[in-house]
Amino acid sequence: MSEHETTSIKVVDAFDLDDELRSILKPGEMVRDAQGRRHRLPRYFYEVPSHEASTSIRLTPHFGLNEFILVDLKEAERLQGAPQYIPCAVSLLAFFLEQFRAAVGASVHIAVNGAYRSPQHRLSQNATAHMWGTAADIYRIGTTIVKTKETIDKYNDVAEDLSADVHVLPYGHDTGHAADDHVHIDLGYITLVPREISEDRMELPQENRPRFAFEDRRRRERRTNGAAAVGAEEAK
Ligand SMILES: [Zn+2]
């Protein structure tokens, strides 16, 4: 059973990647949002070695890593295949989406290109939280396709009630400032520095170790929540 396997996922410092990947991911570079404010892009990424790995790794009980790296031809060609890279802060997004899922009482479906988008993605014109791995575009909740003002307003309210840090886009047709066919949930420009990382250098290489990121959580889940997790997975 895949849920009982232990899957390792490597954390990488994007400054250690090859030139092409650095030019795509732009670690540490400053980019401007639609209001002209400058934000520093993330530097630490999960390296997802294969599609199989991304489907077997769950960030939370109901969200697999694969759901956050689903892209099409709008993404840089190098990131359309393995290995893929996603900022480490995606685990925080997954946590909030799990709370959102519980609040709406239904499964939550992220759109293609709806989570991480690199700075080279064709939809990345201004700095949006998607480039930090901290935003999700949700196009379906349960059996409801999210595309009317009524449904978007309703689910935006649920998302905003989760935390003052959750930001949504109002219903409207002005792309980037509003949304008319999805719910956009974002946590802002959060970067996450994994505890294995030593921050005592600017750009010099350092040793990369595989991270058994989700092993502890899985162990605990099996101990305390095994039966409940199976039931909830069926509901998805
Ligand atoms: Zn969005």
Side-chain angles (χ1 to χ4, degrees), residues 114 117 130 135-137 169 182-185:
R117 303 198 288 248
H130 289 285
D137 295 338
L169 291 180
H182 64 274
V183 167
H184 165 105
I185 293 180

Side-chain angles (χ1 to χ4, degrees), residues 42 67 101 141 236:
E67 298 174 73
R101 185 188 190 279
I141 295 172
K236 184 177 177 180

Side-chain angles (χ1 to χ4, degrees), residues 40 46 72 103 129 151 195 228:
R40 192 178 297 283
Y46 290 126
D72 64 15
T151 55
R195 58 170 55 82

Side-chain angles (χ1 to χ4, degrees), residues 49-79:
S50 67
H51 179 71
E52 291 68 34
S54 73
T55 54
S56 68
I57 293 170
R58 305 203 74 74
L59 296 177
T60 65
H62 297 103
F63 290 93
L65 183 55
N66 58 312
E67 298 174 73
F68 298 88
I69 48 177
L70 203 54
V71 293
D72 64 15
L73 299 176
K74 294 191 185 74
E75 183 52 277
E77 194 177 351
R78 180 81 183 265
L79 296 185

